[in-house]
Amino acid sequence: MAFNWYTTDLFEDAKVWVSKSGNFDDTMEFAAEASEVTSSYGERDENGNYIFGEVKEDKEGEPVEDENGEPVINGYYTDRQAHGAEWMSGDYGHIELTDVTEYSYKAQAAELEPNSTYSYKVGSESGEVSEIGTFKTSGESGDPFKFVHYTDTQNAFWNENVRNEASFGANTLMNALETAGDADFVLHTGDVVETAEVEDEWVDLFGQSQPYFMQAAMAVASGNHDEYALNYGDEPLTEKFNEHVNVPAANDEIDGGSYYSFDYNGVHFVTLNTNDNESEDNPEGKAIGEEQMQWIREDVEAARDNGAEWIVLNYHKPLYSKSYHSLQDEDVQKVREELTALIDELDIDLALQGHDHVISRTHSLTHVPTEENFSNAEDVETFVGDNGVEYMEDPDGTVYVLPNTGGTKEYDDVYSKGLNHLHEVRPDLDWMTQEDMDHYNSLFGFGGQPQDTEAFEESHSNNRDSSTQNFAIYEVEDDEMIVSMYQLSGDFMLGEERNVELVDQFGIQNGDN
């Protein structure tokens, strides 16, 4: 089990204490390694409000810069009185960041007993020690287990004091763990934060989610926002994700995240890095480069040889979803045919996705070449089991799942509102015909835009005001998996009660495994 935490001051005696009894009379100690990092914090006033500058603009509405290339500021204000749609979408002006030297600690607990629950603390005897958390270790192949899947918490720093988005991410995870009851771990499919450079976002999200992060281990995929700089167009901060999350890096490749795999009770989980377009082996700028593609093949083939009964992918940028990224992101389109063919060849059972803030679940899809169909997919038949759950019996294909968002940023289900709407709001998809749209929609067993809003009637603005979040719970036992997708509603910031509703459920029976 891997651990990661931060301190501002360096502690040479940092470690993890692990106990199976829970009272630490059987403590095992594991030393931590500290790495110096640069954390950039937004400028605030004495009340904790962010300080923003109003940038001077020329007659064309372009920012005016001084002789040093810095924006000319007319005056300053804070987010204390901030409100309205423009602010919520990120029209906040200029903010200065202050760099602070801090330390990221990584430790790993080894030689743990299988199928066991452990308690742990992190910190140092010369400094502070954390509260107690718990995690579960893997058991035997075929042993039952559950895991939670949520995504795109993506809290924007400028809304911290306006409509705090990190609180929705925390509330989503809290409800997911309560609904699951005894989840063994959590999967997050990327965009942990909105702007990776602004450390305030990591602090806010981790702080509010800490009680739930410490209830179960997490496996995280990196999202595009998890490497974003504050200023759009600046070079991505390719180390930020791995500074904050202690996950492996296959091939020692860290580029806006990393790719890795692990096993749990006979299920092989493969986390991809769809920020791979800066790699030296990837001159075309694909979402996944050739080295990672080859690693996927070798990793999954080795897992099958070792007896893996299920293969589950988790990654950020979707191949199939009910919003526009899946068919529009250029780096995804460059790898779509190759990746879907590989997924089909390797007989992947599930592909867990993020990035598009809508809810969707496909049928079991098999690969077809681009020359036959732009989507690279056709679906296979399903049947209904005795208990009312829709089962897929020994499917030949892969089910692609995307549980909307754990945060507040919402997208449009562009494929369910007619061809004219699609062409109007997403001109880059004007090549789609009605036949194309009908085929693409036929690939999905469930999906749509979870929240009620008028924002998408004439545009595709990415609003950040949703109080509707989703998560999925996966229950695995032997050759059967049941996937349940839940929807949260109710704006607790307005005092409304939060409601949890089961909105989709299906099962897979893998008799061939």
Side-chain angles (χ1 to χ4, degrees):
M1 186 60 60
F3 304 84
N4 204 142
W5 70 96
Y6 267 55
T7 65
T8 301
D9 298 321
L10 175 63
F11 294 93
E12 301 283 1
D13 60 340
K15 62 186 67 174
V16 174
W17 295 270
V18 174
S19 168
K20 188 176 179 183
S21 69
N23 57 19
F24 293 89
D25 58 354
D26 56 350
T27 300
M28 297 182 289
E29 295 185 1
F30 301 93
E33 181 177 346
S35 298
E36 183 177 302
V37 296
T38 299
S39 298
S40 301
Y41 291 91
E43 188 174 3
R44 302 179 188 242
D45 66 13
E46 60 185 7
N47 298 314
N49 291 100
Y50 287 108
I51 300 172
F52 297 96
E54 181 185 87
V55 179
K56 184 178 181 180
E57 297 180 346
D58 59 23
K59 294 180 180 180
E60 285 72 39
E62 296 297 321
V64 176
E65 296 181 347
D66 61 22
E67 62 275 10
N68 298 317
E70 297 296 324
V72 176
I73 305 299
N74 290 329
Y76 294 90
Y77 55 94
T78 74
D79 57 3
R80 185 174 181 183
Q81 302 299 323
H83 65 280
E86 288 187 356
W87 183 278
M88 291 293 293
S89 65
D91 187 13
Y92 53 77
H94 177 79
I95 187 169
E96 293 288 342
L97 298 181
T98 299
D99 289 345
V100 177
T101 297
E102 295 189 318
Y103 298 89
S104 173
Y105 299 87
K106 295 186 187 299
Q108 183 169 306
E111 299 182 4
L112 303 173
E113 295 182 17
N115 198 28
S116 300
T117 297
Y118 283 89
S119 299
Y120 72 90
K121 299 181 290 185
V122 306
S124 63
E125 293 173 347
S126 61
E128 296 185 18
V129 176
S130 74
E131 296 178 355
I132 297 173
T134 59
F135 64 87
K136 297 180 181 179
T137 56
S138 173
E140 297 295 325
S141 178
D143 286 351
F145 72 100
K146 295 180 186 178
F147 66 94
V148 166
H149 171 206
Y150 79 136
T151 189
D152 291 78
T153 40
Q154 203 172 331
N155 57 307
F157 75 90
W158 61 86
N159 285 328
E160 180 182 325
N161 299 313
V162 182
R163 188 172 189 269
N164 186 269
E165 298 174 78
S167 62
F168 282 89
N171 185 272
T172 300
L173 182 54
M174 178 191 74
N175 276 282
L177 291 171
E178 287 181 353
T179 303
D182 55 350
D184 289 65
F185 59 90
V186 177
L187 286 183
H188 190 303
T189 45
D191 279 359
V192 179
V193 294
E194 170 74 13
T195 311
E197 183 176 10
V198 182
E199 188 66 23
D200 305 81
E201 292 188 358
W202 298 96
V203 171
D204 192 19
L205 182 79
F206 280 40
Q208 298 212 39
S209 295
Q210 180 174 317
Y212 319 114
F213 284 176
M214 297 184 75
Q215 289 181 26
M218 294 188 68
V220 190
S222 58
N224 52 302
H225 282 268
D226 298 325
E227 65 172 3
Y228 275 6
L230 174 63
N231 297 314
Y232 186 78
D234 283 359
E235 287 295 316
L237 305 171
T238 57
E239 301 281 341
K240 277 297 172 186
F241 175 82
N242 292 82
E243 287 177 356
H244 289 88
V245 180
N246 190 358
V247 295
N251 294 327
D252 295 322
E253 187 70 31
I254 292 179
D255 179 32
S258 59
Y259 48 92
Y260 60 96
S261 64
F262 64 96
D263 296 286
Y264 203 96
N265 290 17
V267 180
H268 189 65
F269 293 86
V270 184
T271 299
L272 308 183
N273 176 20
T274 55
N275 295 332
D276 202 14
N277 43 28
E278 299 294 331
S279 299
E280 293 181 0
D281 74 317
N282 190 8
E284 297 179 49
K286 299 176 181 179
I288 293 177
E290 293 304 321
E291 186 175 89
Q292 183 176 179
M293 198 73 71
Q294 181 61 30
W295 173 85
I296 296 169
R297 175 185 297 279
E298 294 173 355
D299 180 80
V300 172
E301 288 178 348
R304 289 293 192 196
D305 289 343
N306 290 331
E309 298 183 355
W310 298 82
I311 305 291
V312 178
L313 297 187
N314 49 294
Y315 56 90
H316 185 61
K317 293 182 179 179
L319 292 166
Y320 300 97
S321 87
K322 297 290 284 182
S323 199
Y324 69 97
H325 276 309
S326 56
L327 292 180
Q328 186 174 310
D329 281 3
E330 184 178 358
D331 56 347
V332 174
Q333 307 324 308
K334 289 178 178 179
V335 80
R336 170 182 290 280
E337 183 169 26
E338 182 182 5
L339 183 55
T340 54
L342 182 63
I343 288 172
D344 195 28
E345 178 188 346
L346 296 175
D347 194 23
I348 304 298
D349 297 292
L350 278 173
L352 314 185
Q353 312 172 114
H355 198 43
D356 270 345
H357 300 211
V358 290
I359 192 168
S360 62
R361 182 262 296 180
T362 69
H363 298 296
S364 186
L365 304 183
T366 55
H367 170 78
V368 297
T370 302
E371 62 185 23
E372 294 183 23
N373 190 274
F374 70 95
S375 70
N376 297 117
E378 60 185 8
D379 68 271
V380 295
E381 294 297 320
T382 63
F383 77 98
V384 177
D386 294 336
N387 62 357
V389 177
E390 182 183 87
Y391 278 91
M392 303 174 189
E393 185 178 26
D394 298 334
D396 292 329
T398 303
V399 182
Y400 296 79
V401 181
L402 201 168
N404 185 26
T405 172
T408 64
K409 187 178 179 183
E410 60 203 36
Y411 280 17
D412 186 10
D413 173 9
V414 292
Y415 305 113
S416 298
K417 297 183 179 179
L419 197 63
N420 290 337
H421 175 80
L422 173 69
H423 290 172
E424 180 179 351
V425 301
R426 302 310 307 178
D428 287 344
L429 296 175
D430 61 4
W431 54 267
M432 289 192 77
T433 65
Q434 187 63 51
E435 183 180 2
D436 292 335
M437 180 178 283
D438 291 344
H439 169 75
Y440 190 69
N441 282 326
S442 75
L443 301 177
F444 293 88
F446 176 77
Q449 177 186 303
Q451 59 282 325
D452 295 324
T453 178
E454 299 178 356
F456 303 135
E457 290 184 0
E458 298 179 356
S459 69
H460 187 285
S461 55
N462 294 338
N463 275 17
R464 309 192 73 103
D465 62 352
S466 179
S467 57
T468 302
Q469 289 74 38
N470 292 83
F471 59 87
I473 296 173
Y474 301 74
E475 300 176 74
V476 188
E477 184 171 5
D478 291 324
D479 61 354
E480 181 173 290
M481 179 185 297
I482 296 177
V483 181
S484 306
M485 292 221 275
Y486 292 86
Q487 187 157 300
L488 284 163
S489 59
D491 193 337
F492 60 85
M493 297 192 74
L494 299 178
E496 297 175 3
E497 182 180 352
R498 291 285 267 174
N499 298 310
V500 183
E501 178 187 4
L502 177 66
V503 293
D504 183 55
Q505 189 175 58
F506 69 97
I508 303 175
Q509 291 180 337
N510 265 352
D512 292 340
N513 285 345

